[in-house]
Amino acid sequence: MFSVDHYADGRIEVRREALTGIAARISPERIQRGISPPYVAAPDESCPFCPGRLEAETPAFADGTRIRRGESVTFPNLFPFAAWHTVTVITRAHSVERFTVDQLADALSGLASSLEGQADYTSMNWNFLPSAGASIVHPHMQGIADPAPTALQGRYIRASAAYRQECGRRYWDDLVDRDSASDRFLFEDVIPWFASPVPVGEREVRGVLPVTTVGEVGPCTRPLARGILRVIECYRSLGTRAFNMAVYFGKKSDEESFSAFCSIIARINPNPASMTDSAFMERLHCEPVVMTLPEEFGRYFRGEAESGRF
Ligand SMILES: [Zn+2]
Protein backbone atom coordinates (compact mmCIF):
# COMPACT_ATOMS: atom_id res chain seq x y z
CA MET A 1 0.00 0.00 0.00
CA PHE A 2 3.09 2.20 -0.30
CA SER A 3 6.24 2.05 -2.39
CA VAL A 4 9.78 2.69 -1.19
CA ASP A 5 12.67 4.04 -3.27
CA HIS A 6 16.15 4.24 -1.82
CA TYR A 7 18.42 7.14 -2.78
CA ALA A 8 22.00 8.01 -1.86
CA ASP A 9 23.20 4.47 -1.10
CA GLY A 10 20.12 3.77 1.02
CA ARG A 11 20.61 6.79 3.30
CA ILE A 12 17.33 8.31 2.10
CA GLU A 13 13.97 6.60 1.65
CA VAL A 14 11.32 8.12 -0.56
CA ARG A 15 7.97 6.56 0.21
CA ARG A 16 4.80 7.00 -1.80
CA GLU A 17 1.35 6.05 -0.56
CA ALA A 18 -0.50 4.04 -3.24
CA LEU A 19 -3.95 5.37 -2.24
CA THR A 20 -3.20 9.07 -2.60
CA GLY A 21 0.23 9.41 -4.20
CA ILE A 22 1.38 11.37 -1.12
CA ALA A 23 5.17 11.17 -0.77
CA ALA A 24 7.60 11.62 2.12
CA ARG A 25 11.39 11.66 2.26
CA ILE A 26 12.94 9.99 5.27
CA SER A 27 16.51 10.89 6.15
CA PRO A 28 17.43 9.54 9.63
CA GLU A 29 20.83 11.30 9.48
CA ARG A 30 19.18 14.71 9.62
CA ILE A 31 18.32 14.18 13.29
CA GLN A 32 22.00 14.86 14.00
CA ARG A 33 21.41 18.54 13.21
CA GLY A 34 19.79 18.75 16.67
CA ILE A 35 17.56 21.67 15.72
CA SER A 36 14.96 21.26 18.49
CA PRO A 37 16.11 23.06 21.65
CA PRO A 38 14.70 22.20 25.11
CA TYR A 39 11.26 23.68 25.83
CA VAL A 40 11.00 26.73 28.08
CA ALA A 41 7.52 28.05 28.93
CA ALA A 42 6.98 31.80 28.50
CA PRO A 43 4.34 33.75 30.48
CA ASP A 44 1.83 36.01 28.70
CA GLU A 45 0.08 38.71 30.68
CA SER A 46 -2.32 39.75 27.93
CA CYS A 47 -3.79 36.37 26.97
CA PRO A 48 -7.40 36.65 25.70
CA PHE A 49 -8.06 32.99 26.61
CA CYS A 50 -7.33 33.29 30.33
CA PRO A 51 -10.40 33.28 32.64
CA GLY A 52 -11.94 36.73 32.97
CA ARG A 53 -10.49 38.03 29.72
CA LEU A 54 -12.06 35.21 27.70
CA GLU A 55 -15.63 36.37 28.41
CA ALA A 56 -14.74 39.96 27.51
CA GLU A 57 -12.47 39.39 24.53
CA THR A 58 -13.90 36.43 22.61
CA PRO A 59 -17.18 36.31 20.68
CA ALA A 60 -20.24 34.26 21.66
CA PHE A 61 -22.52 32.32 19.30
CA ALA A 62 -25.51 34.13 17.74
CA ASP A 63 -27.71 33.19 20.70
CA GLY A 64 -25.26 34.81 23.10
CA THR A 65 -23.89 31.54 24.52
CA ARG A 66 -20.57 29.71 24.54
CA ILE A 67 -20.35 25.90 24.84
CA ARG A 68 -18.95 24.85 28.22
CA ARG A 69 -17.86 21.28 28.92
CA GLY A 70 -15.85 20.81 32.09
CA GLU A 71 -13.07 23.41 31.97
CA SER A 72 -13.38 23.91 28.21
CA VAL A 73 -15.11 26.83 26.51
CA THR A 74 -16.04 26.85 22.81
CA PHE A 75 -16.96 29.95 20.78
CA PRO A 76 -16.71 31.29 17.21
CA ASN A 77 -13.26 32.22 15.90
CA LEU A 78 -12.87 36.00 15.81
CA PHE A 79 -10.65 35.66 12.70
CA PRO A 80 -12.17 32.73 10.76
CA PHE A 81 -10.66 31.13 7.66
CA ALA A 82 -13.50 28.66 7.08
CA ALA A 83 -17.24 28.92 6.42
CA TRP A 84 -17.71 27.90 10.08
CA HIS A 85 -14.71 28.18 12.38
CA THR A 86 -14.81 27.61 16.13
CA VAL A 87 -12.25 27.71 18.93
CA THR A 88 -12.17 25.55 22.05
CA VAL A 89 -10.05 26.79 24.94
CA ILE A 90 -9.10 23.53 26.66
CA THR A 91 -8.07 24.59 30.16
CA ARG A 92 -8.45 27.43 32.57
CA ALA A 93 -4.68 27.33 33.12
CA HIS A 94 -2.61 29.34 30.64
CA SER A 95 0.19 26.82 30.50
CA VAL A 96 -0.29 23.17 31.27
CA GLU A 97 2.41 20.71 32.20
CA ARG A 98 0.30 17.64 31.42
CA PHE A 99 -3.31 17.45 30.22
CA THR A 100 -5.79 15.07 31.84
CA VAL A 101 -8.08 12.73 29.89
CA ASP A 102 -11.07 14.71 31.21
CA GLN A 103 -9.66 18.01 29.99
CA LEU A 104 -9.07 16.71 26.46
CA ALA A 105 -12.30 14.67 26.28
CA ASP A 106 -14.36 17.68 27.40
CA ALA A 107 -12.63 19.93 24.88
CA LEU A 108 -13.10 17.44 22.02
CA SER A 109 -16.74 16.99 22.98
CA GLY A 110 -17.39 20.76 23.09
CA LEU A 111 -15.58 21.29 19.81
CA ALA A 112 -17.46 18.44 18.09
CA SER A 113 -20.80 19.80 19.19
CA SER A 114 -19.91 23.22 17.78
CA LEU A 115 -19.45 21.53 14.36
CA GLU A 116 -22.53 19.33 14.32
CA GLY A 117 -25.18 20.41 11.85
CA GLN A 118 -22.75 22.78 10.11
CA ALA A 119 -21.37 22.48 6.56
CA ASP A 120 -20.64 18.98 5.20
CA TYR A 121 -16.89 18.68 5.73
CA THR A 122 -15.50 19.17 9.19
CA SER A 123 -12.26 18.68 11.09
CA MET A 124 -11.02 19.20 14.64
CA ASN A 125 -7.52 20.63 14.86
CA TRP A 126 -4.87 21.57 17.40
CA ASN A 127 -1.68 23.61 17.07
CA PHE A 128 0.24 23.31 20.33
CA LEU A 129 2.87 25.99 21.03
CA PRO A 130 4.00 28.78 18.67
CA SER A 131 6.52 26.63 16.78
CA ALA A 132 3.52 24.52 15.71
CA GLY A 133 1.66 27.61 14.50
CA ALA A 134 -0.27 28.53 17.65
CA SER A 135 -0.59 32.33 17.75
CA ILE A 136 -1.89 32.11 21.33
CA VAL A 137 0.00 29.85 23.75
CA HIS A 138 -3.04 29.14 25.94
CA PRO A 139 -4.04 25.59 24.85
CA HIS A 140 -6.88 25.65 22.34
CA MET A 141 -8.27 23.55 19.51
CA GLN A 142 -10.02 24.73 16.35
CA GLY A 143 -12.95 23.29 14.44
CA ILE A 144 -13.60 24.07 10.80
CA ALA A 145 -16.56 23.22 8.58
CA ASP A 146 -16.82 23.96 4.87
CA PRO A 147 -19.02 22.90 1.95
CA ALA A 148 -15.90 21.27 0.39
CA PRO A 149 -13.20 19.21 2.12
CA THR A 150 -9.68 20.57 2.69
CA ALA A 151 -7.10 19.43 0.11
CA LEU A 152 -5.78 16.49 2.16
CA GLN A 153 -9.20 15.52 3.51
CA GLY A 154 -10.63 15.54 -0.03
CA ARG A 155 -7.73 13.49 -1.35
CA TYR A 156 -8.40 10.73 1.18
CA ILE A 157 -12.19 10.85 0.81
CA ARG A 158 -12.05 10.62 -3.00
CA ALA A 159 -9.33 7.98 -3.05
CA SER A 160 -11.18 5.91 -0.40
CA ALA A 161 -14.31 5.94 -2.58
CA ALA A 162 -12.28 4.86 -5.62
CA TYR A 163 -10.61 2.08 -3.59
CA ARG A 164 -14.00 0.81 -2.43
CA GLN A 165 -15.25 0.80 -6.00
CA GLU A 166 -12.18 -0.98 -7.31
CA CYS A 167 -11.50 -3.48 -4.51
CA GLY A 168 -14.97 -3.91 -2.99
CA ARG A 169 -13.50 -3.30 0.46
CA ARG A 170 -12.96 -0.35 2.75
CA TYR A 171 -9.40 0.98 2.53
CA TRP A 172 -9.42 1.76 6.24
CA ASP A 173 -10.19 -1.84 7.22
CA ASP A 174 -7.35 -3.05 5.00
CA LEU A 175 -5.02 -0.40 6.43
CA VAL A 176 -5.80 -1.38 10.03
CA ASP A 177 -5.30 -5.08 9.19
CA ARG A 178 -1.95 -4.40 7.53
CA ASP A 179 -0.56 -1.91 10.04
CA SER A 180 -1.68 -3.93 13.09
CA ALA A 181 0.71 -6.61 11.88
CA SER A 182 3.61 -4.18 11.26
CA ASP A 183 6.33 -2.59 13.35
CA ARG A 184 4.36 0.68 12.99
CA PHE A 185 1.60 -0.53 15.33
CA LEU A 186 1.49 1.38 18.63
CA PHE A 187 -1.61 0.30 20.59
CA GLU A 188 -5.37 -0.20 20.32
CA ASP A 189 -7.85 1.36 22.74
CA VAL A 190 -11.16 1.47 20.82
CA ILE A 191 -9.08 3.34 18.23
CA PRO A 192 -6.07 1.56 16.65
CA TRP A 193 -2.99 3.81 16.50
CA PHE A 194 0.00 3.48 14.13
CA ALA A 195 3.08 5.39 13.06
CA SER A 196 2.05 6.49 9.56
CA PRO A 197 4.05 4.60 6.89
CA VAL A 198 4.29 7.70 4.67
CA PRO A 199 4.46 10.45 7.28
CA VAL A 200 3.23 13.95 6.44
CA GLY A 201 5.37 15.25 9.33
CA GLU A 202 7.86 14.14 11.96
CA ARG A 203 6.80 11.00 13.88
CA GLU A 204 3.33 11.12 12.40
CA VAL A 205 0.85 8.91 14.24
CA ARG A 206 -2.61 8.09 12.93
CA GLY A 207 -5.61 6.70 14.75
CA VAL A 208 -8.52 5.28 12.74
CA LEU A 209 -11.89 6.11 14.30
CA PRO A 210 -14.84 3.69 14.16
CA VAL A 211 -17.05 6.48 12.74
CA THR A 212 -17.19 8.73 9.67
CA THR A 213 -19.03 11.92 10.63
CA VAL A 214 -18.49 14.45 13.41
CA GLY A 215 -22.04 13.80 14.61
CA GLU A 216 -21.07 10.25 15.60
CA VAL A 217 -17.84 11.07 17.41
CA GLY A 218 -19.36 11.47 20.89
CA PRO A 219 -18.59 7.95 22.23
CA CYS A 220 -15.04 8.18 20.78
CA THR A 221 -14.02 11.38 22.54
CA ARG A 222 -12.59 9.65 25.64
CA PRO A 223 -10.59 7.02 23.74
CA LEU A 224 -9.47 9.77 21.36
CA ALA A 225 -8.34 11.88 24.32
CA ARG A 226 -6.50 8.90 25.86
CA GLY A 227 -4.78 8.11 22.58
CA ILE A 228 -3.67 11.71 21.92
CA LEU A 229 -2.27 11.91 25.46
CA ARG A 230 -0.21 8.73 25.02
CA VAL A 231 1.21 9.95 21.72
CA ILE A 232 2.17 13.41 23.00
CA GLU A 233 3.70 11.83 26.10
CA CYS A 234 5.84 9.70 23.79
CA TYR A 235 6.87 12.81 21.82
CA ARG A 236 7.79 14.45 25.10
CA SER A 237 10.00 11.48 26.01
CA LEU A 238 11.83 12.19 22.74
CA GLY A 239 12.27 15.87 23.65
CA THR A 240 9.56 17.61 21.62
CA ARG A 241 6.60 19.36 23.22
CA ALA A 242 5.05 21.11 20.21
CA PHE A 243 2.73 19.24 17.86
CA ASN A 244 -0.09 19.56 15.36
CA MET A 245 -3.19 17.41 15.37
CA ALA A 246 -6.11 17.04 12.98
CA VAL A 247 -9.16 14.78 13.04
CA TYR A 248 -10.69 14.58 9.56
CA PHE A 249 -14.37 13.71 9.14
CA GLY A 250 -16.43 12.78 6.09
CA LYS A 251 -20.12 13.25 5.53
CA LYS A 252 -22.86 10.65 5.89
CA SER A 253 -22.67 9.54 2.25
CA ASP A 254 -18.91 8.78 2.65
CA GLU A 255 -19.42 6.18 5.37
CA GLU A 256 -19.32 3.17 2.99
CA SER A 257 -15.73 4.01 2.10
CA PHE A 258 -14.21 6.52 4.56
CA SER A 259 -13.30 6.37 8.26
CA ALA A 260 -12.59 9.52 10.23
CA PHE A 261 -8.97 9.55 11.32
CA CYS A 262 -6.69 11.49 13.63
CA SER A 263 -3.22 12.56 12.56
CA ILE A 264 -0.62 13.91 15.00
CA ILE A 265 2.85 15.18 14.09
CA ALA A 266 5.69 16.25 16.37
CA ARG A 267 7.09 19.76 15.80
CA ILE A 268 10.31 21.32 17.02
CA ASN A 269 10.12 23.31 20.26
CA PRO A 270 9.72 27.10 20.31
CA ASN A 271 13.14 28.74 20.01
CA PRO A 272 14.44 32.31 20.01
CA ALA A 273 16.14 31.91 16.62
CA SER A 274 12.77 31.08 14.97
CA MET A 275 14.14 27.85 13.56
CA THR A 276 11.37 25.81 11.97
CA ASP A 277 10.88 22.32 10.65
CA SER A 278 8.64 23.57 7.82
CA ALA A 279 10.66 24.71 4.83
CA PHE A 280 10.39 24.66 1.03
CA MET A 281 9.84 20.92 0.78
CA GLU A 282 6.95 20.99 3.23
CA ARG A 283 5.31 24.27 2.23
CA LEU A 284 6.00 24.59 -1.49
CA HIS A 285 6.45 20.99 -2.61
CA CYS A 286 3.98 19.44 -0.13
CA GLU A 287 6.54 16.67 0.37
CA PRO A 288 7.80 16.46 3.95
CA VAL A 289 11.39 15.59 4.84
CA VAL A 290 11.32 13.64 8.09
CA MET A 291 13.99 12.05 10.25
CA THR A 292 12.20 9.17 11.94
CA LEU A 293 11.47 5.83 10.29
CA PRO A 294 7.84 4.92 11.15
CA GLU A 295 8.87 1.34 12.02
CA GLU A 296 11.60 2.70 14.32
CA PHE A 297 9.05 4.93 16.04
CA GLY A 298 6.65 2.00 16.48
CA ARG A 299 9.37 -0.11 18.12
CA TYR A 300 10.32 2.77 20.41
CA PHE A 301 6.72 3.40 21.43
CA ARG A 302 5.95 -0.25 22.20
CA GLY A 303 9.24 -0.74 24.04
CA GLU A 304 8.79 2.29 26.28
CA ALA A 305 5.03 1.75 26.72
CA GLU A 306 5.79 -1.66 28.20
CA SER A 307 7.47 0.04 31.13
CA GLY A 308 4.30 2.16 31.67
CA ARG A 309 5.97 5.40 30.61
CA PHE A 310 2.97 6.40 28.48
ZN1 LIG B 1 -4.05 32.36 28.87
Side-chain angles (χ1 to χ4, degrees), residues 44-51 53 89 91-95 136-139:
D44 180 2
E45 246 71 301
S46 61
C47 170
F49 292 170
C50 275
R53 300 187 76 118
V89 172
T91 55
R92 279 193 275 271
H94 178 78
S95 63
I136 295 173
V137 170
H138 198 127

Side-chain angles (χ1 to χ4, degrees), residues 34-41 239-241 269-272:
I35 62 168
S36 195
Y39 173 64
V40 185
T240 50
R241 297 283 286 270
N269 290 330
N271 61 85

Side-chain angles (χ1 to χ4, degrees), residues 8-305:
D9 301 325
R11 286 156 54 213
I12 301 160
E13 277 194 21
V14 178
R15 297 188 181 193
R16 208 169 289 274
E17 188 178 53
L19 185 78
T20 58
I22 287 170
R25 292 160 186 256
I26 306 174
S27 169
E29 286 172 16
R30 289 176 68 80
I31 206 161
Q32 290 161 18
R33 295 173 306 153
I35 62 168
S36 195
Y39 173 64
V40 185
D44 180 2
E45 246 71 301
S46 61
C47 170
F49 292 170
C50 275
R53 300 187 76 118
L54 187 146
E55 290 72 12
E57 295 182 28
T58 66
F61 292 109
D63 64 359
T65 64
R66 296 181 180 84
I67 299 169
R68 292 180 183 271
R69 297 275 157 81
E71 281 185 49
S72 76
V73 190
T74 301
F75 46 87
N77 192 325
L78 194 54
F79 303 107
F81 54 74
W84 180 254
H85 191 162
T86 55
V87 174
T88 296
V89 172
I90 303 169
T91 55
R92 279 193 275 271
H94 178 78
S95 63
V96 177
E97 196 50 32
R98 281 186 166 86
F99 297 97
T100 66
V101 173
D102 282 340
Q103 284 171 333
L104 286 200
D106 286 340
L108 289 164
S109 158
L111 186 59
S113 68
S114 76
L115 297 172
E116 274 173 52
Q118 294 301 328
D120 284 337
Y121 291 100
T122 59
S123 60
M124 303 195 294
N125 308 279
W126 189 2
N127 302 323
F128 186 63
L129 298 180
S131 54
S135 56
I136 295 173
V137 170
H138 198 127
H140 63 284
M141 299 183 193
Q142 299 181 60
I144 61 173
D146 285 306
T150 65
L152 192 80
Q153 188 178 25
R155 211 157 159 177
Y156 277 101
I157 289 171
R158 285 190 301 274
S160 298
Y163 186 93
R164 167 89 196 186
Q165 191 127 38
E166 200 176 309
C167 306
R169 296 187 306 276
R170 299 178 87 257
Y171 172 76
W172 302 91
D173 298 340
D174 287 354
L175 177 78
V176 169
D177 282 349
R178 181 200 64 186
D179 279 16
S180 294
S182 79
D183 258 346
R184 295 180 296 277
F185 176 72
L186 306 186
F187 63 98
E188 182 162 4
D189 169 11
V190 182
I191 297 166
W193 296 88
F194 316 94
S196 183
V198 185
V200 297
E202 198 60 42
R203 296 172 183 141
E204 188 195 11
V205 170
R206 289 190 179 182
V208 180
L209 276 61
V211 300
T212 299
T213 66
V214 73
E216 305 163 300
V217 80
C220 301
T221 47
R222 282 195 81 78
L224 185 56
R226 288 196 297 268
I228 294 165
L229 282 181
R230 289 188 73 178
V231 172
I232 62 179
E233 192 61 32
C234 180
Y235 288 168
R236 186 182 172 132
S237 77
L238 290 161
T240 50
R241 297 283 286 270
F243 59 86
N244 298 109
M245 181 209 81
V247 185
Y248 311 89
F249 295 100
K251 56 180 182 177
K252 195 81 188 145
S253 58
D254 299 319
E255 73 188 357
E256 286 283 288
S257 54
F258 181 72
S259 294
F261 67 97
C262 175
S263 161
I264 313 173
I265 58 171
R267 301 293 305 275
I268 70 169
N269 290 330
N271 61 85
S274 302
M275 267 191 300
T276 173
D277 50 5
S278 287
F280 66 85
M281 287 301 284
E282 288 76 18
R283 298 300 306 273
L284 300 177
H285 293 272
C286 296
E287 199 166 310
V289 180
V290 300
M291 305 174 289
T292 309
L293 277 164
E295 295 73 23
E296 201 62 51
F297 183 77
R299 285 191 288 270
Y300 173 80
F301 187 100
R302 291 193 309 277
E304 294 294 312

